[in-house]
């Protein structure tokens, strides 16, 4: 969550709506004051709670057009199926609805409910409808799981504004439709913040985008040895390691020691793999890279982990 004096935006919504609201409260942030959600790319770990959260808070979602299209496709999979398969699906839906009705009559619905976790889509839809019943056309949402209060498009490489925040999206090398990172600038406070995760390597345009940044959230996804020796199937290991995969601790350290201009007061390491990384390794690797360059010692390195929000950084 990025907040300036007048504007608050959330970048990505990869956790459930319920978890996101909980974490905003833990960070003493008022979710109802959120102005918009910005999406970097359509991978599930960035959008899992998106539709429910946006509808719940009635706020616009900013995508690039290809990312929005990919997300809509993802939310409304069109499959061709045989008649037998179709019958089977209708039967399953009927059973799921019956099971849901039984649950609903057994207990009154929780008004705080964002969504039900688990695979039964109908249950999730019911949770949403509960929270939105005053003004959302429930039936339309059930028909269209990709419906959002409003959608705004941006183009990587062209800046746009939300309130007093100027936002420059930049293209990242990653295996999604149109992935990007963001630089945020608050004109009134002349503070710049950048988010760069989900990149297979550090191309020149990203290095340029990360100049003169005061708070830098940077990917440090995996330890190369842990990934190679780890449980992922070979094809997935190849994907992570590829030029459209993720930055290793090593690649992040290389950037910090060779190309980084050292202007950040805070460097936050993020998007750490729970399977193929250890927080201490990521931190050690980045700190060593900074120590190699004496003049970067003014940078404080922090770790963002999956289980809990980090303490808010105020500048
Ligand atoms: Zn991704
Ligand atoms: Zn990701």
């Amino acid at each position: 969550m990025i907040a300036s004096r007048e504007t608050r935006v959330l970048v990505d919504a990869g956790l459930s709506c319920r978890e996101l609201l909980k974490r905003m409260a833990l960070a003493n942030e008022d979710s109802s004051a959120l102005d918009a959600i910005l999406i970097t790319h359509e991978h599930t770990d960035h959008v899992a709670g998106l539709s429910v959260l946006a509808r719940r808070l009635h706020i616009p979602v900013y995508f690039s057009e290809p990312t929005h299209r990919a997300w809509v496709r993802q939310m409304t999979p069109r499959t061709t199926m045989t008649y037998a398969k179709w019958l089977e699906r209708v039967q399953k839906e009927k059973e799921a609805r019956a099971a849901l009705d039984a649950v609903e009559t057994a207990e009154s619905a929780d008004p705080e409910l964002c969504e039900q976790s688990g695979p039964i889509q109908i249950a999730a839809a019911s949770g949403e409808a509960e929270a939105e019943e005053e003004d959302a056309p429930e039936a339309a949402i059930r028909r269209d799981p990709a419906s959002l209060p409003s959608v705004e498009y941006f183009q990587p490489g062209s800046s746009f504004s939300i309130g007093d925040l100027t936002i420059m999206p930049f293209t990242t090398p990653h295996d999604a439709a149109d992935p990007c990172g963001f630089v945020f600038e608050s004109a009134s406070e002349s503070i710049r913040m950048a988010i760069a995760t989900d990149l297979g390597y550090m191309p020149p345009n990203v290095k340029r985008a990360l100049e003169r940044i005061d708070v830098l959230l940077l990917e440090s996804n995996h330890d190369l040895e842990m990934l190679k020796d780890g449980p992922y199937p070979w094809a997935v290991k190849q994907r992570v390691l590829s030029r459209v995969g993720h930055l290793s601790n090593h690649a992040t350290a290389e950037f910090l020691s060779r190309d980084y201009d050292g202007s950040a007061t805070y460097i936050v390491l993020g998007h750490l793999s729970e399977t193929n990384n250890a927080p201490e390794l990521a931190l050690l690797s980045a700190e060593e890279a900074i120590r190699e360059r004496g003049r970067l010692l003014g940078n404080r390195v922090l770790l963002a982990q999956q289980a809990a929000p980090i303490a808010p950084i105020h500048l």
Side-chain angles (χ1 to χ4, degrees), residues 215-237:
V215 181
L216 171 59
L217 173 65
L218 185 59
E219 168 160 62
S220 192
N221 179 259
H222 56 276
D223 173 75
L224 286 169
E225 296 306 313
M226 284 180 75
L227 177 69
K228 280 176 192 154
D229 298 339
Y232 280 13
W234 185 82
V236 180
K237 289 182 184 178

Side-chain angles (χ1 to χ4, degrees), residues 87-224:
L87 265 186
E88 192 187 324
R89 200 183 73 171
V90 168
Q91 183 59 29
K92 275 203 182 120
E93 281 176 356
K94 222 193 235 166
E95 282 164 13
R97 248 192 317 269
L100 181 68
D101 286 347
V103 171
E104 273 180 347
T105 44
E107 55 186 69
S108 64
D110 175 7
E112 283 301 302
L113 193 66
C114 277
E115 63 177 346
Q116 303 276 359
S117 57
I120 304 176
Q121 203 52 48
I122 289 169
S126 156
E128 289 153 26
E130 194 68 41
E132 294 169 325
E133 64 192 6
E134 306 111 54
D135 46 18
E138 290 168 44
I141 289 167
R142 280 172 197 271
R143 268 199 310 275
D144 179 10
S147 91
L148 292 170
S150 85
V151 171
E152 301 282 343
Y153 288 146
F154 61 75
Q155 271 186 340
S158 303
S159 66
F160 61 100
S161 295
I162 303 177
D164 64 346
L165 276 179
T166 303
I167 301 157
M168 173 58 95
F170 57 88
T171 295
T172 50
H174 190 57
D175 54 358
D178 189 23
C180 67
F182 296 108
V183 173
F184 297 90
E185 189 163 353
S186 151
S188 52
E189 290 140 303
S190 61
I191 290 172
R192 282 157 56 82
M193 197 267 164
I195 293 186
T197 68
D198 300 75
L199 7 78
Y201 71 105
M202 269 287 178
N205 79 303
V206 176
K207 288 178 187 169
R208 261 198 315 277
L210 303 187
E211 288 168 3
R212 296 176 294 108
I213 296 295
D214 300 296
V215 181
L216 171 59
L217 173 65
L218 185 59
E219 168 160 62
S220 192
N221 179 259
H222 56 276
D223 173 75
L224 286 169

